[in-house]
Amino acid sequence: MRMIQTRKPESLHLASGPEEAGEIELADADILEAMREIHGYLDISTADFRDLYHLAYHHAMDRMFHGITARRLMRAAIHPLAPDTRLADAIPLFVSQGLKTLPVVDPEGRVLGILTETDVLRAFGAASFLALVERLMTEPGVISPDQCLRPVSELMTSPAVSVPLDAGFRQLVAAFTSHSGRGMPVQGPDGRLAGLLLRKQFLNVCHMEGPA
């Protein structure tokens, strides 16, 4: 005969912050059903089990992805943008570096924001690259000189989601989960730009699938 004793669930602060992104939350019904399938006597509340689950999950993630840090994965040699860089000068920097995301920094190298391909397309009134090409083919002069002279400070996303050099796997997952961009700045201890972490690189190293 199996005996199951469960205490009244106690209050417990459950995973709700960004550091818990991607973790599966269990309902009390799920826990109780699992406990009924275990032979023997259990004296544990659903709150205790959930607390144990979170701790075990974090230990497993740290073990599986030990060594994955922003410092190791970032692209350090990048040419960022200044806030007064004109769009006409910013676009060649995207192209020459093979990037679709570039940080915007102040004269001291501190991150002010981030400019993406989507921001550039939006500046030209297009939702996608193909939409812009279509307009260029059907509407001569669709790009005006005034649009090309706009400073990136008017177009960038600010503040930018960024991570420190020592950010590990769980912190990187949480940061990428909080936004849909292709990359994010990595900052040194002094708050200055240290590099750019690309979503694709992170997913490849973790053997995950995601948007290109």
Side-chain angles (χ1 to χ4, degrees):
M1 178 178 178
R2 290 184 298 169
M3 299 181 60
I4 298 176
Q5 176 179 331
T6 59
R7 300 194 299 274
K8 181 179 180 181
E10 304 164 5
S11 62
L12 176 69
H13 177 68
L14 301 182
S16 59
E19 69 278 2
E20 309 293 347
E23 184 174 351
I24 298 174
E25 282 297 331
L26 298 178
D28 283 355
D30 299 325
I31 300 172
L32 290 171
E33 187 61 32
M35 293 167 70
R36 291 189 183 96
E37 295 182 17
I38 298 177
H39 296 280
Y41 179 80
L42 293 175
D43 182 15
I44 185 172
S45 70
T46 56
D48 290 336
F49 179 87
R50 189 176 286 105
D51 196 18
L52 179 63
Y53 165 78
H54 290 318
L55 291 173
Y57 175 89
H58 290 162
H59 282 299
M61 290 296 99
D62 291 341
R63 172 178 52 80
M64 292 173 60
F65 298 103
H66 176 70
I68 293 183
T69 64
R71 184 192 300 271
R72 288 186 59 189
L73 301 182
M74 72 178 188
R75 180 170 169 176
I78 64 167
H79 192 306
L81 303 171
D84 58 353
T85 301
R86 295 178 178 180
L87 190 55
D89 299 318
I91 292 175
L93 288 175
F94 279 99
V95 175
S96 64
Q97 299 180 86
L99 296 171
K100 296 183 178 181
T101 298
L102 279 176
V104 181
V105 301
D106 66 14
E108 285 72 42
R110 290 186 292 266
V111 178
L112 299 176
I114 196 160
L115 188 72
T116 68
E117 180 185 63
T118 301
D119 297 323
V120 174
L121 291 171
R122 190 181 298 117
F124 294 131
S128 67
F129 172 74
L130 290 179
L132 179 59
V133 171
E134 180 185 32
R135 290 191 60 191
L136 290 171
M137 292 189 302
T138 59
E139 302 176 39
V142 67
I143 297 180
S144 69
D146 288 343
Q147 290 173 310
C148 296
L149 296 178
R150 293 180 66 183
V152 299
S153 59
E154 294 181 1
L155 308 171
M156 69 181 183
T157 298
S158 180
V161 176
S162 60
V163 292
L165 277 167
D166 61 353
F169 173 77
R170 284 191 280 132
Q171 190 172 353
L172 297 179
V173 169
F176 274 124
T177 301
S178 69
H179 71 98
S180 59
R182 291 186 174 93
M184 58 187 172
V186 178
Q187 294 178 297
D190 56 1
R192 298 182 181 182
L193 179 68
L196 181 69
L197 179 59
L198 301 178
R199 183 185 294 269
K200 182 177 181 179
Q201 172 69 8
F202 175 68
L203 294 177
N204 285 343
V205 169
C206 298
H207 305 290
M208 300 178 181
E209 294 182 355

